[in-house]
Amino acid sequence: MNALILQSDFGYADGAVSAMVGVAVSVCSELRIYDLTHDIPPYDIWEASNRLIQTIGYWPAGSVFVSVVDPGVGSTRRSVAVRMTGGQVLISPDNGTMTHLMQHGAVAQAREIDETVNRLPDSGESYTFHGRDIYAYTGARLASGCISFEEIGPEIPVESLVSLPVVKPKAQDGRVSGTIDVLDVRFGSLWTNIPRELFIGLGVHHGDRVTVRISHYDRVLYQTVMVYARSFADVNIGEPLLYANSLDCMAVAINQGSFSRAYGVGTGISWVIELIPEKAGRV
């Protein structure tokens, strides 16, 4: 019996999440069901992709994730199941939800869900709630051992999976640049796609001062010098800091404040961040 972990953009204002859980429990009442989050902003596939890479690697092999952020529900987009290199499985629409998992080389195998077999009985005329009728149902059957990964449907090439556009981080001319991929939502910190190893390759150490420049569609919206800190306690309350987050990537925050709210910063490939150590000279 493996864990079943659910993610969606449904929220809790209505019964959508409860319906998914009900289907899973109906498949097997002994299933262990957990929530990743149901607060993904509506239709935000990019956010869903980031939350999966933040989480999935910390669950044991055999864990089954169901992610339903599906603005194309009922269209020709595929329903897929992918197996990670660590043995976890993700069931999701093939709409870019696997983008960051693919970027990190975490996807080992992929199968298209055979919806003629793996579908909640008597739901064949419903085309708007695949999260309940296909994904939760198939995920519960897989997690409970009713079906194997191979019985989900025919194998498809991993490289055929839909991937959203990404901008890879780079080091050049004594600075590093990347994108603001996601927010630490509750606290308003900016999480970038710049690996710590790429940044410290510039010869930077804790306590050094770094110019942080944030642009949106090539227009600079923020620029200041801040400390590269080991933790929030290294700066005064209300001060900005640069630090390595729990994914070992660079992040920007305000100690006991919300950076994203203070400066109106969003996420995605249009939000570019540059980190320029003071020793790199004039900026």
Side-chain angles (χ1 to χ4, degrees):
M1 190 70 63
N2 294 300
L4 180 67
I5 305 100
L6 306 178
Q7 170 177 274
S8 76
D9 58 353
F10 296 157
Y12 290 101
D14 61 16
V17 173
S18 182
M20 290 175 63
V21 173
V23 165
V25 172
S26 296
V27 169
C28 179
S29 61
E30 297 178 1
L31 266 178
R32 295 172 295 138
I33 304 172
Y34 306 91
D35 290 328
L36 194 164
T37 180
H38 295 289
D39 288 328
I40 300 293
Y43 320 120
D44 196 337
I45 299 166
W46 179 267
E47 175 94 359
S49 175
N50 270 286
R51 295 307 170 199
L52 288 167
I53 195 64
Q54 180 185 358
T55 308
I56 203 166
Y58 295 98
W59 287 77
S63 299
V64 178
F65 285 73
V66 170
S67 180
V68 192
V69 179
D70 194 13
V73 62
S75 69
T76 57
R77 63 95 185 94
R78 297 182 296 187
S79 298
V80 297
V82 296
R83 177 180 278 159
M84 306 299 129
T85 54
Q88 308 89 347
V89 174
L90 168 64
I91 292 174
S92 169
D94 182 21
N95 58 8
T97 296
M98 281 71 71
T99 296
H100 290 86
L101 292 166
M102 293 172 68
Q103 284 293 312
H104 285 75
V107 179
Q109 295 175 283
R111 290 184 176 271
E112 183 171 3
I113 297 175
D114 182 351
E115 297 180 7
T116 65
V117 177
N118 294 300
R119 185 184 182 106
L120 183 69
D122 301 321
S123 67
E125 295 303 314
S126 174
Y127 301 100
T128 60
F129 200 176
H130 286 179
R132 176 195 65 194
D133 300 336
I134 297 172
Y135 304 142
Y137 180 70
T138 303
R141 296 182 78 207
L142 182 62
S144 63
C146 293
I147 59 172
S148 67
F149 182 72
E150 290 70 26
E151 291 175 290
I152 285 176
E155 187 169 8
I156 57 175
V158 170
E159 57 269 21
S160 74
L161 296 170
V162 173
S163 184
L164 302 175
V166 297
V167 176
K168 293 185 178 180
K170 63 181 181 180
Q172 187 176 8
D173 299 328
R175 64 188 67 192
V176 294
S177 63
T179 55
I180 300 168
D181 269 9
V182 71
L183 301 179
D184 185 356
V185 177
R186 187 167 179 83
F187 301 104
S189 305
L190 315 181
W191 285 20
T192 80
N193 70 336
I194 301 172
R196 178 183 58 86
E197 288 293 333
L198 185 65
F199 174 64
I200 65 173
L202 300 178
V204 188
H205 301 89
H206 289 122
D208 288 351
R209 296 173 66 78
V210 179
T211 294
V212 174
R213 178 185 295 154
I214 298 172
S215 304
H216 189 225
Y217 291 113
D218 298 324
R219 184 165 67 95
V220 176
L221 298 183
Y222 176 88
Q223 179 172 310
T224 196
V225 177
M226 62 183 71
V227 172
Y228 170 38
R230 188 183 301 274
S231 71
F232 291 83
D234 290 346
V235 301
N236 295 322
I237 293 174
E239 283 190 29
L241 68 147
L242 178 69
Y243 68 103
N245 66 16
S246 59
L247 298 181
D248 208 25
C249 287
M250 303 312 298
V252 178
I254 295 174
N255 187 13
Q256 298 189 33
S258 171
F259 196 103
S260 63
R261 219 171 20 245
Y263 298 104
V265 178
T267 62
I269 61 173
S270 62
W271 290 91
V272 175
I273 183 166
E274 295 175 89
L275 308 178
I276 312 159
E278 277 200 335
K279 70 175 186 177
R282 299 174 65 87
V283 295

